[in-house]
Structure formats: C-alpha cells, structure tokens
Amino acid sequence: MNTANRLAPYMFMAPAAVIMGLCLLYPLGYMIYGSFLDWNPSQSIGEADFVGFKNYINLFFDPAFRESLGVTLTFAVSVVIAELVIGVGLALLLDRNIRGMSLLRTLFILPMMIAPVVVGLMWRYMYHPTVGTFNRFLKSIGLEGVDWLGQNALLSVIIADIWQWTPFIFILSLAALQSLPRSALEAARIDGATNWQQIVYIKIPLMMPVLIVTALLRLIDAFKVLEVILVMTEGGPGLSTEIVALRISRTATEFRELGTAAAMSNYLLILLLLLTVAMFAFTRFQDARAARLARQVQEEG
Amino acid sequence: MQYQRQNPAFFALLVALIFMAVGPIVLMFANSFKLDVDIIGGTTGLLFLPTIQNYETALCDVLWYEPEHLDFCALKFGGAFVNSLIIALVSTLLTLVIGTMAAYALVRFRFFGRDTVSLTTLTVRMVPPAVLLVPVFGLWNNEFCIDKATYVGGWIRDTFGGRGDVCLAGTHSGIILIYVAMNLPFVIWILQSFIVQVPRSLEESARVDGAGPFQVFFKIVLPLIKPGLAAAAIFTFRIAWNEYLLASALSDRNTKTVPILIVNNMSEFNVEWGVIMATGMLLAIPPIIFTLFASRQIITGMTAGAVKG
C-alpha cells in the first residue's frame, strides 16, 4: 500500500512523460542536431555532413530569409495591435446587461473554431479580383476594384486574421471586465467620474494584467499561423506574404534542404522562447506584487 | 434578472458585428449550394436554385448511387472524411486520458522532478507545428520503424503487405501520435486549473474509507472536473481536426485528411468554387456544431487558459 502510494505520481505521469519525451523533446533535439548538417531528404541523418554553424550564418545573410522574418514580424505585431484595440474596444462597449449576450458570444467564437484552411478558402473567394464579394460590392457602388491578393496581399492576410481572432481578445477582456471589483467602479461613479474617465483611469489599468497575458498569448499564436496564408496566397506574390513557417515548409519540401529548414526552425523557436519567457516573467512579477500588496494590507490592518 | 434598455444605435452596432462575424460563413454555406455558373455569373444574394450537386461531387466515393453529372469520381472526399474522423477522435481520447492523469499528478503529489516536468510542459506549449515539421518527418520515416527482418515487422509485412521497414509515417497512428504529443501540454495546463479546485478533503475522506490513489482519481476527481474535460476535449479535437501541415507531411495516399484534400484542390489552376466550398463546409460543420452546443465550455476553457496562466 505504501509503495503503491509512493509510486502513484510516477505511474500517473509516465504515459504523458514518455509521449512528450519521444515526440516533442527528442524531435526538438534531433532538429537542433540536424541544423548543423548539410542534409537533404534522401539521406538519413547519419549520412549527412557536419557543417557547423554554416546554415545559421547563411540564413543570417540571406535576404529572402530576412524578408520573410520581416513579413512575419509585421504580420504578428500589426495583427496583435489591431485585435487588441478592436477587441478591448468592443468589450468596453458591450459590457452591459443585455438580452442574448450568450448567443452573441457563441456567434463570435465561430470564426476561431473553423479550420484555418476553410478560413483561407472563404477569404480567398471574397478577395477574388472578379468573382469575389468585395470587388463586386465596390463595383456595384461604382468604385474601382482593389487588387486584394496582389498588391495588397499582406494587408488582406492581416484583415483575415483580424476577422478570425479578434473575438478571442474580445471574450477574454469581457471576462476580465466582468470580474473587476464592483466597489472601485461604484466609488468612482459616486465621485462623479464620467464614463470615459472610468474607462481610462479604472477599467483599463485594472484589466492590464489580463490584457498583457492575452496579448502575449496571441502574439505567440500569430507566429504559428500558416494554413490561412498558404491557402490565400501561397506566400506570394513574390515573397510578400511568405511568413517564416511557410518558408520552413517550402525549404524542406521544395528546395529539399533539411539542414537549412532546421536552422530556420531554430531561429523561430528562439524568438518564441523569448516571448514565452517574457510572459512567465510577467506573471511571476504580477503574483509577487499581488502577494506583497496583500501582506501590506494585512500588516496595516 | 433586469435587462437595461439600450438605444437603437447600439443595436445597429450589434447587428453589424454579427453580420461581420457570421457573414463569410453564411456566404460559403450559400455558395456551396450554387452551381459554378451562378457563383461566377454574379447572381449575388440569395436568389438562386439550390443544388446539392457540389456535395454529390465531393462525396462521390461514399454515395450509394452514381450522380448523373459525374463520369468519374476524382475527389475521394468520403475516405478523407473517415480518416479525419478516426484521427481526431482517437487522438482526442488519448490526449484526455493521458493528460488528465498527468495534470492530477502535477497538482496533487509532491514528487522528485515535478518542477522540471511542470516547466517543460509550459514551455513546449509554444512550439509551432512548422518547427516540428523537419524532425518529425525525418524521425517518422527513418527512425520510428520496426525492422522488417524482426519477428513483429515481418508479421506486419506478411499481414498487410507492402515493402521495406514498417514505419510510422503514412499510418493513422503516426499522425495520431504527433497530435497527442502536440496537444498534451495545453490539456495538462488547462486541467490543472480545474483539478486545483477539487476540495482536498473530499479525496482525503475517500482515502480514509480505504480507496487507493487510482480509485480516488477515477471515482472522485474525474466526475468533478467534467466541465474542464469538455473544454479540453473540444480544443484538442479542434486542433486534430483542422491541422494541415504535419498531416500533409506524414500521410500517404490512403491516410489523407480533409484539410490536405482541400489545399491540394485549391492549388490546381482552375478552382471549382462550388465543390471546394462544399468540402470546406463539410470540414467546418463538426466544429460549428460543437460551438453551438458547447459554447459555454469553450469560453470557460479559454478564460481558464489565459487568465489563470
């Protein structure tokens, strides 16, 4: 009985540990090793030549890779900023006691649940130069059609992502808003604060911790976007929408340079690791501050 | 509960928002019932003769009759749909069972290595599928294999046919395995926040009555965290059902999933909009149904994941 109890945690942990070790950590190690090799898909990893940091250095000076890194950063940052502004704005606006709020939320999460492939498909149709909804609408009111997926490809891709993911931020900030301490808002109202003052001086500062975590989560996810862009533009025209994830997959399958693709994956991984560490550091900092404040209150009381 | 009165502009805004959120989906739904002539010809709006011809084309390999407009069944959608279903359901089930056990161990036991495991779980959550593409492709094709000369490998080759070593790539299990691994960190993370809320006294009293750790887990803890399990199940299913990149690297002709089929048909020069929209709609229907019936669980899961992080 006693040994059973002592072994229990390991038995509960074992399946997850084995699977994650074998299918996540081992592949990651394999990739890091592979990134130092001149390696193509017809070789097994043992046959490939060791080239040291060559892949990393080549990539660092490769204008195409730099461009796709730039596209990725532009995409991720502008998507997160736009979604934050719209999502939080909507949450502030819709934080009211209205009939049918749950139905509204249900409809809002639909875009997130649908396959990225399908989202890409829908928007590719709507952006179509002649058949598409947008250009047809523009022409019907007498305006010129816009070359959505040609000259404005990156913008079009960003709009599609905003459509899909703003609800995520909206729902999280609505939840944060509704769990704000009523007493603070009440006090402000009694002191005669206008709606606008309440938002700027009370609601937004109190929501800040949740907003920062949400934004970081969304930023990490924005680096993972691949299918929507693949279906809409396939990275084109030129390299204008070729995000790093897409470039990795093309380098591996079309150019058949696994070593380079692995090095690219590593760059992306390091970037995301930094973001994740930033998120942890921030939540730890928040917890520490909350604990300190609580202790202060206790000591004074 | 008292509802506040709102002014008309507010409702106009609500209607506009709903239109924006749902509009594209409705548009795709409508278009999937149109002939290509109607889609391209410009009969906008809802004035058209609905036809199920697109769905017949898409599902031609599982229909019990032969659609009149087709000479040849090129799009094997039915098979891909079954593949997707098998892969998504099995990997959701496995992830849930394994993930709940791990989350329980992390919350309730103090054991050697606990902090390392917990930190690793949190960090690998951010690994994008694209990063796993190269190593998983290499490993599944070359290393995670059973040699055909061994007893088991020989038996598999004799039973199922084929040449070469028996590898994970190209099988359902290969795709399921990577999906389980990819989803585990998230599921463990979300379930931890639900398990913490189960009162310890409940477990202790069961233990006093003579229940072992496994009995406590299955009889006391599992029933209490049902909402968390539902949320985790939906998120896992969503990823396994929608994923494209890794599935496309690991599947062969017989294990293709629906997203692969759609992408392959998109990149053809001449897009048949009607058919492709019908396939897209079929892929979108299961998640839409989930959302309509379990939106509360989805929202709980989302807020638990982000706010309590």
Side-chain angles (χ1 to χ4, degrees), chain A residues 26 96-97 112 163 227, chain B residues 2 6 20 143 238 244:
Chain A
Y26 180 51
R96 305 178 191 197
N97 202 359
M112 286 186 267
W163 175 77
E227 285 106 329
Chain B
Q2 197 72 48
Q6 304 293 344
M20 279 199 284
E143 302 217 352
R238 186 192 74 134
Y244 160 76

Side-chain angles (χ1 to χ4, degrees), chain B residues 27-280:
Chain B
L27 183 75
M28 184 171 76
F29 184 69
N31 273 339
S32 70
F33 289 100
K34 286 182 192 171
L35 294 177
D36 271 6
V37 195
D38 289 332
I39 298 177
I40 296 167
T43 44
T44 3
L46 297 165
L47 288 172
F48 62 95
L49 203 62
T51 165
I52 57 163
Q53 195 176 309
N54 294 323
Y55 288 93
E56 285 178 335
T57 314
L59 293 168
C60 58
D61 60 332
V62 284
L63 286 183
W64 59 96
Y65 60 91
E66 273 186 33
E68 282 164 25
H69 64 278
L70 275 182
D71 320 324
F72 171 67
C73 183
L75 204 63
K76 301 263 191 292
F77 187 88
F81 198 82
V82 172
N83 284 335
S84 273
L85 216 55
I86 293 174
I87 289 171
L89 287 178
V90 175
S91 53
T92 307
L93 191 72
L94 283 178
T95 317
L96 275 194
V97 174
I98 298 172
T100 325
M101 282 164 58
Y104 181 66
L106 285 174
V107 172
R108 277 294 185 262
F109 298 101
R110 299 274 166 273
F111 58 93
F112 177 73
R114 175 175 171 277
D115 294 335
T116 327
V117 175
S118 160
L119 194 70
T120 321
T121 315
L122 273 169
T123 344
V124 289
R125 251 198 78 206
M126 57 85 187
V127 175
V131 167
L132 290 172
L133 178 70
V134 174
V136 162
F137 184 78
L139 287 173
W140 266 234
N141 273 306
N142 300 319
E143 302 217 352
F144 290 179
C145 294
I146 309 172
D147 198 319
K148 66 178 166 186
T150 62
Y151 184 72
V152 182
W155 177 79
I156 293 176
R157 275 294 167 250
D158 290 344
T159 325
F160 298 99
R163 279 173 287 123
D165 295 342
V166 185
C167 289
L168 266 180
T171 63
H172 288 126
S173 356
I175 305 178
I176 290 171
L177 191 65
I178 186 65
Y179 284 172
V180 172
M182 247 169 50
N183 281 312
L184 267 179
F186 178 72
V187 166
I188 293 176
W189 195 43
I190 267 211
L191 286 179
Q192 274 183 320
S193 67
F194 283 90
I195 294 177
V196 168
Q197 290 168 11
V198 175
R200 207 161 231 211
S201 51
L202 216 60
E203 290 177 47
E204 268 153 18
S205 62
R207 192 130 341 138
V208 171
D209 291 345
F214 285 91
Q215 269 177 313
V216 171
F217 174 71
F218 283 107
K219 294 210 173 131
I220 312 281
V221 179
L222 271 194
L224 283 175
I225 55 165
K226 266 187 198 148
L229 287 176
I234 291 170
F235 282 101
T236 318
F237 182 86
R238 186 192 74 134
I239 294 189
W241 180 257
N242 292 346
E243 211 275 337
Y244 160 76
L245 187 67
L246 291 170
S248 81
L250 291 179
S251 67
D252 64 7
R253 206 154 37 87
N254 298 319
T255 47
K256 259 189 200 153
T257 57
V258 181
I260 304 174
L261 198 91
I262 294 181
V263 172
N264 287 353
N265 277 289
M266 276 308 277
S267 43
E268 311 274 315
F269 181 65
N270 227 340
V271 182
E272 289 177 23
W273 285 112
V275 177
I276 211 90
M277 298 252 179
T279 54

Side-chain angles (χ1 to χ4, degrees), chain A residues 34-241:
Chain A
S35 67
F36 297 112
L37 302 175
D38 182 14
W39 180 26
N40 73 52
S42 55
Q43 298 166 307
S44 78
I45 197 164
E47 295 160 8
D49 294 327
F50 189 82
V51 292
F53 281 95
K54 193 168 145 250
N55 290 329
Y56 289 94
I57 295 167
N58 282 351
L59 275 180
F60 191 78
F61 293 108
D62 177 12
F65 177 67
R66 280 186 177 189
E67 177 160 358
S68 83
L69 204 61
V71 169
T72 314
L73 287 173
T74 320
F75 174 80
V77 171
S78 40
V79 152
V80 171
I81 291 176
E83 285 166 10
L84 262 186
V85 172
I86 304 175
V88 175
L90 285 179
L92 288 169
L93 214 65
L94 298 184
D95 177 26
R96 305 178 191 197
N97 202 359
I98 48 167
R99 200 177 299 244
M101 195 59 202
S102 64
L103 178 68
L104 193 72
R105 272 191 297 212
T106 308
L107 293 180
F108 274 0
I109 46 180
L110 274 179
M112 286 186 267
M113 302 303 285
I114 290 178
V117 169
V118 178
V119 172
L121 165 76
M122 283 192 277
W123 284 83
R124 178 158 164 186
Y125 167 73
M126 292 197 291
Y127 281 139
H128 194 280
T130 51
V131 187
T133 319
F134 294 131
N135 274 3
R136 214 176 255 172
F137 173 73
L138 286 177
K139 277 174 192 155
S140 74
I141 59 171
L143 292 171
E144 282 281 294
V146 177
D147 187 10
W148 293 104
L149 293 177
Q151 289 159 6
N152 304 308
L154 189 56
L155 180 71
S156 310
V157 170
I158 289 174
I159 293 176
D161 193 87
I162 294 175
W163 175 77
Q164 200 189 359
W165 286 105
T166 303
F168 176 75
I169 295 191
F170 165 74
I171 281 171
L172 290 187
S173 38
L174 193 63
L177 259 181
Q178 291 179 337
S179 64
L180 289 187
R182 289 289 138 197
S183 55
L185 292 172
E186 201 78 358
R189 209 170 304 140
I190 290 168
D191 288 345
T194 60
N195 274 337
W196 187 245
Q197 282 172 327
Q198 283 182 36
I199 289 175
V200 174
Y201 294 112
I202 298 177
K203 289 183 181 172
I204 301 245
L206 283 177
M207 280 162 77
M208 226 10 142
V210 178
L211 288 188
I212 292 181
V213 173
T214 314
L216 282 169
L217 272 180
R218 200 45 220 123
L219 195 62
I220 292 174
D221 276 352
F223 284 101
K224 295 187 186 176
V225 172
L226 171 99
E227 285 106 329
V228 178
I229 299 181
L230 175 74
V231 172
M232 275 172 69
T233 65
E234 288 158 47
L239 293 179
S240 58
T241 54

